[in-house]
Amino acid sequence: MTNTKVPFYKHDLGEAELKQIENVFSGAILTTGSTVQRFEERFASLLKSKSAVGLTSCTGALHLSLLALGISEGDEVITTPMTFIATSTAILEAGATPVFADVEPDTGNIDVKKIEQKITGKTKAIMPVHLYGQMCDMVAMKSLADTHGLKIIEDAAHCIEGSRDGYYPGQLADFACFSFYATKNLTCGEGGALVTNSSTLAEQVKLLRTHGMNKTASDREREGYTHWDMTVLGWKYNMDNIQAAMLLPQLDRLDKKSFLRHELSEYYREKLQKNSHINLPTTLDGVKHALHLFPIFVESELRDLTIEKLQQMEISTMVNYRPVHLNSYFRTKFGFKKGDFPIAEEFGERVLSLPFFPGMTKEQVDIVVNSLERVFK
Ligand SMILES: *Cc1c(COP(=O)(O)O)cnc(C)c1O
């Protein structure tokens, strides 16, 4: 949608990012090098994790997390159907089987009590998603995982700035994975990273992100050419210096932008409370919300009509998400059908995400709110 009155999202990349890109251009290495390393150090410290590894996507981060933990064919990974498909497809890419557990009705996050019911002898890991930026109950999940000897890989694509009960993504898990896709809170167009507190696992992921080769371009830059060896089957998921250059200056703006997100969210909530057709999401106690998206809930019969009418008024919305298991591929491959995960399904029928980004003005929020009033008249 171009020329919309209120866009769904607008990035704020500009001079600071261009300057960093220029620095990369004047250096020798465009691919993974010292700029990526600087980003990794700052990102790990932001998340209070020992290591971060820069990658080309969150999907790649999820995939490599599974591989580094030795999860493959015959293994099951418990995850949520209320997410973007990548959470499940990464499990399939690793050769393992995604097993869904239904979600909590108030947050849309995977329900820890329902995870327990899905554990079998084949279960190797849990892959929760911190939906919209509200963290799952990681304390309860970690305790369950420890009881059953399971690994945890967090899909934290929505949750760079969030925490719960004082824990950040990655602190109660083996890995937390992040996305720098075009509309995410931190973006370089396409990109991703993971954090981990295990330096052994971080090294393993670094090997896996560049074909399993034991020498990289920056090694050649430092030491000159020496023969390399391929020691494991790896993939091609390494972040390059240009992506890292775009990300570095944004780290300085994260706090400020998070503050703006909270201000806008409060303003939206205050105005939308008056609309009896709209339900607003809940933030639980102990949660610092990353507010990646601003979802609202309407009657399921009116949801698609609402999207259509807003579109006519030049207001862009999205649905995050229709549940994964009802996509044709998953229905065909696994025999999933409507009714399998009723809470996720109802959630997915009622939800829509409104325009929401730190540079959004209160006037733009007013336009969206007034348009919604007209929709329900
Ligand atoms: C965006 C997103 C992903 C995929 O991220 P990419 O960087 O595009 O691979 C995965 N999971 C969730 C929940 C997302 O929102």
Side-chain angles (χ1 to χ4, degrees):
M1 291 291 292
T2 47
N3 294 322
T4 39
K5 199 150 54 180
V6 187
F8 185 73
Y9 175 83
K10 204 164 174 292
H11 75 75
D12 71 339
L13 308 191
E15 286 305 318
E17 288 72 27
L18 284 171
K19 194 156 162 283
Q20 289 293 327
I21 292 171
E22 224 175 280
N23 289 344
V24 172
F25 283 7
S26 61
I29 295 190
L30 295 179
T31 181
T32 314
S34 59
T35 318
V36 172
Q37 198 182 333
R38 265 198 293 144
F39 170 73
E40 289 172 340
E41 281 160 12
R42 286 200 57 193
F43 197 66
S45 122
L46 177 77
L47 273 302
K48 310 213 187 311
S49 244
K50 200 176 271 172
S51 308
V53 183
L55 300 163
T56 46
S57 69
C58 182
T59 312
L62 295 166
H63 183 193
L64 292 192
S65 297
L66 291 159
L67 297 185
L69 292 169
I71 292 165
S72 63
E73 209 172 319
D75 297 336
E76 292 177 355
V77 178
I78 299 174
T79 189
T80 169
M82 181 41 61
T83 179
F84 181 56
I85 45 168
T87 322
S88 297
T89 56
I91 297 169
L92 291 167
E93 284 166 16
T97 305
V99 171
F100 295 117
D102 211 346
V103 300
E104 302 169 339
D106 48 350
T107 64
N109 277 335
I110 193 166
D111 186 332
V112 177
K113 292 189 292 294
K114 294 193 176 145
I115 294 175
E116 190 157 21
Q117 299 160 11
K118 296 287 178 154
I119 297 173
T120 72
K122 292 178 179 174
T123 310
K124 289 285 153 46
I126 307 169
M127 200 179 262
V129 176
H130 307 313
L131 195 66
Y132 310 137
Q134 167 152 248
M135 261 178 92
C136 299
D137 187 350
M138 291 311 296
V139 172
M141 201 179 303
K142 172 73 173 147
S143 148
L144 179 71
D146 285 348
T147 306
H148 296 271
L150 306 177
K151 305 291 184 188
I152 300 178
I153 300 163
E154 298 171 77
D155 180 339
H158 297 182
C159 197
I160 295 169
E161 313 92 327
S163 64
R164 180 161 174 172
D165 304 320
Y167 292 102
Y168 293 85
Q171 290 193 307
L172 295 176
D174 295 275
F175 288 106
C177 301
F178 301 86
S179 172
F180 310 133
Y181 172 71
T183 58
K184 296 293 175 13
N185 289 18
L186 183 61
T187 182
C188 56
E190 298 283 357
L194 57 76
V195 298
T196 175
N197 275 315
S198 157
S199 1
T200 317
L201 286 175
E203 285 313 308
Q204 184 66 11
V205 172
K206 282 184 182 172
L207 198 60
L208 291 170
R209 75 175 167 182
T210 39
H211 307 286
M213 288 162 72
N214 65 359
K215 291 258 162 53
T216 64
S218 48
D219 291 335
R220 282 196 293 283
E221 168 77 7
R222 256 197 327 272
E223 305 158 9
Y225 176 83
T226 50
H227 292 310
W228 49 263
D229 187 24
M230 173 193 152
T231 54
V232 293
L233 179 63
W235 300 74
K236 187 62 166 71
Y237 287 141
N238 54 309
M239 174 181 281
D240 67 41
N241 275 353
I242 304 166
Q243 290 170 306
M246 269 186 267
L247 294 169
L248 274 167
Q250 293 177 67
L251 293 175
D252 301 325
R253 301 201 294 272
L254 266 186
D255 274 350
K256 170 87 195 298
K257 281 163 66 178
S258 182
F259 177 79
L260 291 173
R261 283 179 186 276
H262 279 269
E263 266 199 344
L264 277 175
S265 163
E266 278 314 304
Y267 190 68
Y268 250 137
R269 294 183 78 93
E270 189 188 307
K271 298 267 160 169
L272 289 173
Q273 255 158 26
K274 294 167 195 144
N275 192 324
S276 60
H277 295 277
I278 291 171
N279 286 100
L280 296 168
T282 323
T283 302
L284 301 178
D285 286 346
V287 170
K288 180 180 179 276
H289 208 306
L291 293 177
H292 169 51
L293 295 167
F294 193 87
I296 61 166
F297 302 90
V298 300
E299 250 180 87
S300 52
E301 293 74 25
L302 297 176
R303 199 269 308 272
D304 290 357
L305 192 67
T306 307
I307 294 171
E308 201 184 302
K309 287 194 171 172
L310 287 174
Q311 196 117 291
Q312 284 161 9
M313 298 182 226
E314 292 178 55
I315 291 162
S316 297
T317 59
M318 299 235 300
V319 173
N320 306 90
Y321 299 90
R322 291 155 69 229
V324 175
H325 69 284
L326 295 181
N327 281 284
S328 303
Y329 180 84
F330 285 87
R331 286 180 190 254
T332 309
K333 189 172 168 74
F334 298 100
F336 289 125
K337 57 188 183 318
K338 223 173 155 174
D340 285 345
F341 304 98
I343 302 174
E345 287 165 22
E346 197 199 330
F347 198 95
E349 282 172 7
R350 296 185 55 209
V351 75
L352 77 143
S353 303
L354 299 182
F356 189 63
F357 51 95
M360 192 175 181
T361 62
K362 288 193 170 169
E363 289 69 32
Q364 285 177 311
V365 174
D366 288 337
I367 294 173
V368 178
V369 170
N370 295 337
S371 306
L372 274 164
E373 264 156 33
R374 271 161 59 204
V375 167
F376 291 109
K377 218 161 236 161

